[in-house]
Amino acid sequence: MIDKNGKLFGKINIIDLLIILVIIAAAVFFATKAFTPAQEATKTKTSTVRVQFFCYKAQVGAADAIEIGAPAFEDTTNVDFGKVVAVESEPSYTYFVDADGNQAKAEVAYNDAVTVTVELEGDLTEKGLYVGGRLYGVGASFTMHFGKATIYASVSGVSEAA
């Protein structure tokens, strides 16, 4: 493999090969550093935060299955969202244009609009809410577990607990 002139396969010098490998390794290292999102510094300043989740098309009865004090967590990452402190439910509505061109409101069968409020310890910053090392904000949607109930809900509010 290495000939009498110190060339690998008669084409490349072994020292040149080592230099090329070091350059490639350095390029990979710096590319990884440059294109990896910066992690927010771990902060010790947490506070009690209230988060409201809203689902406009929960199955009828889903709100009845959510108990005050039930644990709340996000399905995909299993991030703990504390405990449920309030549940509100009302019929779900949709809007459409009727035959006369007027906007009309109709109740959606078999669906309720559900708002679930939870309290948890988190770090509320100008970027959003850090919980379990992840960033959450208003408008984000998740499959949420509230005790025995599971609904697909959006974050509709985040605030410091009073």
Side-chain angles (χ1 to χ4, degrees):
M1 293 217 284
I2 300 177
D3 66 8
K4 63 181 178 173
N5 295 327
K7 293 191 176 193
L8 188 61
F9 301 113
K11 298 190 183 235
I12 190 166
N13 186 320
I14 193 82
I15 294 175
D16 292 339
L17 177 65
L18 290 174
I19 291 172
I20 291 170
L21 289 176
V22 168
I23 290 172
I24 291 172
V28 168
F29 174 77
F30 288 113
T32 303
K33 286 289 193 181
F35 295 111
T36 301
Q39 297 296 321
E40 188 76 17
T42 305
K43 297 180 181 180
T44 56
K45 182 190 158 241
T46 62
S47 59
T48 304
V49 179
R50 282 195 169 207
V51 179
Q52 285 186 319
F53 292 94
F54 178 73
C55 177
Y56 70 94
K57 59 177 187 176
Q59 290 290 327
V60 170
D64 297 333
I66 302 172
E67 298 176 358
I68 302 299
F73 65 93
E74 194 247 309
D75 185 64
T76 307
T77 60
N78 204 24
V79 169
D80 181 11
F81 270 87
K83 305 274 184 216
V84 174
V85 295
V87 180
E88 299 172 18
S89 177
E90 63 183 15
S92 184
Y93 293 96
T94 188
Y95 295 88
F96 64 96
V97 177
D98 66 14
D100 297 328
N102 299 317
Q103 187 174 15
K105 176 180 175 181
E107 190 172 324
V108 179
Y110 311 110
N111 286 285
D112 283 338
V114 176
T115 301
V116 180
T117 304
V118 298
E119 264 188 13
L120 64 139
E121 289 299 312
D123 185 13
L124 189 56
T125 71
E126 67 278 352
K127 292 181 180 179
L129 174 64
Y130 284 93
V131 180
R134 297 184 56 92
L135 179 63
Y136 294 90
V138 173
S141 298
F142 309 99
T143 300
M144 292 295 301
H145 295 269
F146 302 107
K148 297 175 185 172
T150 302
I151 61 174
Y152 188 73
S154 299
V155 176
S156 61
V158 179
S159 62
E160 294 272 344

